[in-house]
Amino acid sequence: MTNNRNDNVNTRNLVVDILLAVTRDGEFSHIAIRDVLDKYRYLPKQDRAFITRLSQGTLERMIELDAIINQFSKTKVKKMKPVIAAILRSGVYQLKYMDSVPDSAACNEAVKLTVKRGFSGLKGFVNGVMRNIARNLDQIKLPDADKEPEKYLSVRYSVPEWIVARFIRQYGKEACEKSLEAFLQPHPTSVQVDTDRISMEEITASLQAQGITVTQNPEIKRALFLSGYEALDEIEEFENGLLYVQDTASMLAVEMAAPKPGDTVIDVCAAPGGKSVYAARMIGETGHVESRDLTEYKVAMIEDNIERCQLSNMTAKVWDATEFDASAEEKADVVIADLPCSGLGVIGTKTDIKYNASEEKIQELAALQQEILQVVCRYVKPDGTLLYSTCTMTKEENEENVHKFLETHTEFELEQMRQCFPYEGCDGFFMAKMHRK
C-alpha cells in the first residue's frame, strides 16, 4: 500500500503532507487532498483510495485521536512538533479505524516516517506511544458521559465542545447526539434528475449498467441516491447535465417555495446554482430564473452549470446581495435567499467547518443575513414568495432571524418553517417560506 514507481512514493508520507497543509497552513482539506491526488495521478486506484480515506478519516476524527494520544503520551499533542502530531494522528487512525492495516505496519511505518522527516531523535518516542496505544486500544477511556456529557460527546464524535454545548442548549441532548452520529456516517450522493430529458427508469437502468448503486430518494420524485462509483466526472449523465448533485434538503427548500410554470425567480446568493437549476426545471420554458452571486468566479460556476444542464430559461449575473438593485424591484414571483451561514449543518461533508467556526462568526453571519433580507425582500411582487434558507443549525441564523425580519416587515407573513436535522437523511438545513401580502 505504500509505494509505486521505483518505491519512491510513500502514501503515508503524502497523508502527512495533507494533514500539515490543513492543520498547520490553514488549507481547506478537500483542496489539500485534491492537490496531492492531482500530482500523483499515476498511483494505482487502491493507493489513491488509501490516501483519501486516511487523510479524511484522520481529520474527521482528530479530536478523538488527540484524546487517545494524550492518554498515552507524556508530551501532549498541543506541545508536539506539527509533523510528529500528524504522524501519530494518522498512525492511531489506522490502529483504530483501518482493519486492513496490521497494527505492526501502522507502528513501523510511523517510526519510518519520523526518520524520513528528519526527526530520528524522536523515533523511540513515536514507537513507544504507537505500541502502547496498539496494546491498549480496548482500554481507552472516554470522558464520563454522566458527569461531563458535553466533553464525552465532543471526544466520542470529534466535534468541538462549544458546538456540542450549543446544539444541546438549542435542540436538546437527543437531537444533538443523533446529529453528531449522523455527521460521521458515510452518505450516498444525492442527485436531482432532469426528467424533461430522461425518465427515472431510463437513467436508473443506465447507471446500474455502469455498476453504480442507485436508490430512489423517498422524499423527492425526481431525485436519486448514488454510491459505489469512482469519480462523478467520469459518469456521462453527470457530464451532460442529466444529473446534478444536490442535497435532499436543498431540493425540499425549492419545493417549499413552489415556483410555478411561467414564474420569474431571482436567486440572490446562488453559486454554484443547484436551487436555481431545480427552480428552472419547475417553471418550464415560459418562466425565467436569474441566478446571482458576488464574484465573477462564482458566477462562472453558475454559467458552467447552466451550460451543462442545457437550460435556456436561466441566466447568471454578478451582483452583491447587500446592494439594492432598482431594476429588480417587485419583479420576482419567487426570491430565493439561501444566504451565507456558519454551515454547522454540513459538518458531515465539510469537516473543516467544525474547526473553523466560532461564536463571533455566527453573530456576524446572522447580522449579514438580516442585512441581505432587508434588501432582497423588495424584489418580491405583491402575492409573491420569499424563501429564506441556510445549511446551518443555529437559532440566531434561522428562526430568530425570520422573526426579526417579520417584526420589521409587516407586509410579509410566515407560511411554513422547517429545521431539518442530519439524522433525517439530509443535511442540517433550515428553510422558511414567507408570503408578501
Side-chain angles (χ1 to χ4, degrees), residues 46 79 102 126 136-137 155 172 184 246 256 330 355 426 436:
Q46 81 239 43
K79 295 275 169 68
V126 168
N136 295 290
L137 256 186
V155 172
L184 292 173
Q246 189 175 20
M256 181 186 273
E330 294 192 2
Y355 303 122
C426 58
R436 183 165 188 176

Side-chain angles (χ1 to χ4, degrees), residues 178-415:
K178 281 162 68 180
S179 296
L180 300 182
E181 195 176 357
F183 286 146
L184 292 173
Q185 301 302 319
H187 15 282
T189 305
S190 170
V191 291
Q192 53 157 297
V193 177
D194 184 355
T195 49
D196 294 332
R197 289 197 284 148
I198 194 167
S199 72
M200 294 299 278
E201 293 71 30
E202 286 171 309
I203 198 152
T204 300
S206 171
L207 292 167
Q208 285 172 338
Q210 297 169 56
I212 298 167
T213 305
V214 184
T215 45
Q216 172 64 45
N217 185 323
E219 297 239 32
I220 293 173
K221 287 201 299 285
R222 59 172 99 189
L224 298 169
F225 291 121
L226 312 182
S227 56
Y229 60 87
E230 170 81 356
L232 264 181
D233 56 13
E234 289 170 11
I235 302 172
E236 190 186 336
E237 287 86 349
F238 174 77
E239 282 299 286
N240 62 23
L242 292 172
L243 297 178
Y244 187 100
V245 175
Q246 189 175 20
D247 185 70
T248 299
S250 175
M251 290 184 261
L252 287 172
V254 182
E255 293 199 346
M256 181 186 273
K260 305 176 300 302
D263 273 359
T264 296
V265 178
I266 299 176
D267 188 349
V268 296
C269 296
K275 289 181 192 64
S276 294
V277 169
Y278 199 73
R281 288 171 175 166
M282 289 173 78
I283 61 175
E285 286 305 310
T286 53
H288 182 252
V289 177
E290 184 173 273
S291 196
R292 303 174 163 200
D293 220 305
L294 183 59
T295 62
E296 298 278 359
Y297 170 73
K298 286 189 164 183
V299 168
M301 285 161 71
I302 299 170
E303 283 168 341
D304 283 348
N305 282 318
I306 294 174
E307 193 178 334
R308 191 170 61 80
C309 297
Q310 301 175 25
L311 293 163
S312 56
N313 63 345
M314 179 174 158
T315 52
K317 173 175 176 172
V318 178
W319 194 270
D320 178 348
T322 62
E323 300 287 333
F324 177 62
D325 176 6
S327 72
E329 188 161 16
E330 294 192 2
K331 289 286 196 309
D333 299 284
V334 177
V335 167
I336 298 175
D338 182 65
L339 300 188
C341 71
S342 58
L344 299 188
V346 292
I347 285 172
T349 45
K350 297 181 178 173
T351 302
D352 308 77
I353 286 171
K354 63 186 176 187
Y355 303 122
N356 296 327
S358 68
E359 287 290 357
E360 296 72 42
K361 283 184 190 165
I362 289 169
Q363 305 312 325
E364 282 166 21
L365 286 158
L368 174 65
Q369 291 152 356
Q370 200 56 240
E371 184 189 347
I372 292 173
L373 281 175
Q374 306 288 338
V375 173
V376 303
C377 68
R378 295 168 67 186
Y379 306 151
V380 182
K381 288 178 183 173
D383 201 32
T385 295
L386 172 61
L387 177 83
Y388 173 58
S389 62
T390 71
C391 59
T392 197
M393 293 159 56
T394 76
K395 299 221 166 168
E396 296 88 329
E397 295 173 88
N398 296 342
E399 294 91 338
E400 287 174 22
N401 249 349
V402 169
H403 294 311
K404 249 185 214 167
F405 171 78
L406 291 169
E407 276 168 22
T408 54
H409 290 79
T410 49
E411 72 277 23
F412 282 90
E413 60 192 348
L414 180 65
E415 280 195 357

